[in-house]
């Protein structure tokens, strides 16, 4: 496996955030995000968990039909959305 630089990992995290920001009302699965990034699901999940630890994304655990048992879905938290919108207005 190729070792990626911190700059590349940071750029991929920015890409994840932009994918989620495209439609912030809809949560996206790890698989959907990995397809858009053109990376495998495990690497994408690692990036998402790092973003979750930094409070940039949150994991959605319940859907309309109940709790997600096998799939993980992600979205941008409301406080991060407000901060992004405040910065875009300035």
């Amino acid at each position: 496996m190729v070792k990626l630089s911190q700059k590349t990992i940071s750029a991929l995290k920015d890409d994840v955030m932009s994918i989620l920001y495209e439609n912030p009302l809809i949560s996206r699965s790890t698989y959907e995000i990995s397809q858009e990034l053109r990376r495998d699901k495990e690497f994408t999940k690692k990036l998402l968990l790092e973003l979750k630890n930094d409070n940039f994304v949150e994991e959605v655990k319940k859907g309309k039909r109940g709790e997600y048992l096998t799939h993980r879905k992600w979205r941008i938290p409301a406080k991060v959305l407000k901060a992004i919108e405040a910065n875009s207005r300035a």
Side-chain angles (χ1 to χ4, degrees):
M1 186 170 173
V2 177
K3 176 113 172 115
L4 297 175
S5 69
Q6 281 302 114
K7 183 177 177 182
T8 304
I9 291 173
S10 178
L12 287 170
K13 286 180 182 179
D14 288 342
D15 290 343
V16 168
M17 291 296 293
S18 67
I19 290 168
L20 291 173
Y21 188 69
E22 284 175 4
N23 192 346
L25 301 177
I26 297 175
S27 56
R28 307 282 300 265
S29 70
T30 306
Y31 176 76
E32 292 171 334
I33 296 168
S34 67
Q35 290 296 308
E36 288 199 37
L37 281 180
R38 294 183 183 91
R39 299 282 176 170
D40 64 289
K41 285 192 321 186
E42 291 302 316
F43 180 73
T44 304
K45 184 169 105 176
K46 178 184 169 230
L47 292 176
L48 286 162
L49 289 173
E50 288 176 9
L51 287 168
K52 179 182 174 184
N53 288 338
D54 295 336
N55 295 320
F56 286 115
V57 298
E58 64 184 6
E59 188 175 357
V60 178
K61 297 186 180 190
K62 281 191 142 187
K64 292 180 182 177
R65 298 183 194 162
E67 192 168 331
Y68 297 121
L69 299 176
T70 57
H71 301 289
R72 291 182 179 216
K73 289 203 169 196
W74 307 90
R75 68 178 174 207
I76 298 178
K79 63 182 179 180
V80 175
L81 279 174
K82 288 178 185 175
I84 291 171
E85 290 172 4
N87 284 339
S88 66
R89 290 184 198 145

